[in-house]
Amino acid sequence: MKKIIILIMFCTIGFAQSNFKIGINSGLAWQYQEDTKPGYTHNLQLGYLLNDNFELYVSGGILSYSKWRSDFLDTYVTNLSFGIRYYLGNNISRLFVLGEVQQSMGDHIYNIEDVNMYKPGNYFKSVSRDVDETIAILGCGYSYQINKNFEFISSLSITIVSSEDDDLHYLRLFTGLNYRF
């Protein structure tokens, strides 16, 4: 009898679906206040479903802008985010709203023209400035449950960067794939 109960327990645990998710997301980010080129962003995300409608998640990733704001500025940052999603409805296909707090660390690299009168031509030297910013993110998105384990997700969000130098606002468009185990 004990063996049957243990067998039933292991079968139940083996086929049960947990509330944890892991996902990979990639996307574009661009500052909408100025005429800038888009940056590329990628992150790895770990989420936990509190119930059918709420999900808490933590994500970490990279963001890179090449020649952002001008031909002489490159930006490379890593970020760590904590967020919450609220799913509207309980269907296979559903909308959600999200909020995040993100800490970004990295470098702005300025490529400054260095004119040397003893050598013909223009030369560039790189000057780096550290980036340490706290960011608030609000957005909405779409989730499609492919099967019981895989989920396609896409979101559009407004990012508000507040730093000592200036306040920036930019849009992020993410697409990714989550695995629920």
Side-chain angles (χ1 to χ4, degrees), residues 26-97:
S26 290
L28 297 173
W30 63 93
Q31 187 182 5
Y32 59 86
Q33 294 168 322
E34 296 180 15
D35 184 23
T36 60
K37 298 174 184 176
Y40 301 99
T41 182
H42 312 283
N43 70 29
L44 181 64
Q45 190 173 93
L46 179 64
Y48 180 76
L49 293 167
L50 297 172
N51 57 34
D52 287 340
N53 293 70
F54 282 100
E55 177 185 0
L56 294 176
Y57 60 91
V58 61
S59 67
I62 59 170
L63 170 66
S64 66
Y65 285 100
S66 182
K67 307 209 182 315
W68 182 55
R69 285 188 164 175
S70 72
D71 287 337
F72 303 109
L73 174 63
D74 295 332
T75 300
Y76 304 97
V77 295
T78 57
N79 51 54
L80 179 65
S81 301
F82 297 95
I84 187 167
R85 281 193 193 98
Y86 177 72
Y87 292 93
L88 306 169
N90 291 325
N91 301 325
I92 291 173
S93 174
R94 57 190 180 161
L95 299 174
F96 62 84
V97 293

Side-chain angles (χ1 to χ4, degrees), residues 87-149:
Y87 292 93
L88 306 169
N90 291 325
N91 301 325
I92 291 173
S93 174
R94 57 190 180 161
L95 299 174
F96 62 84
V97 293
L98 65 88
E100 285 183 27
V101 174
Q102 180 178 19
Q103 184 65 37
S104 294
M105 297 137 304
D107 291 312
H108 286 309
I109 300 171
Y110 298 90
N111 296 308
I112 299 171
E113 189 172 5
D114 185 15
V115 179
N116 187 336
M117 59 188 232
Y118 298 110
K119 295 181 183 176
N122 294 334
Y123 298 91
F124 292 92
K125 64 180 178 181
S126 294
V127 177
S128 180
R129 182 177 66 96
D130 289 340
V131 175
D132 186 8
E133 300 169 328
T134 301
I135 300 169
I137 300 167
L138 298 172
C140 61
Y142 172 76
S143 167
Y144 180 76
Q145 197 73 34
I146 297 169
N147 59 31
K148 77 174 196 168
N149 294 93

Side-chain angles (χ1 to χ4, degrees), residues 157-175:
S157 56
I158 296 173
T159 303
I160 302 161
V161 180
S162 183
S163 67
E164 293 176 5
D165 298 332
D166 56 0
D167 290 338
L168 302 174
H169 306 282
Y170 61 93
L171 296 174
R172 280 189 333 180
L173 177 63
F174 268 116
T175 299

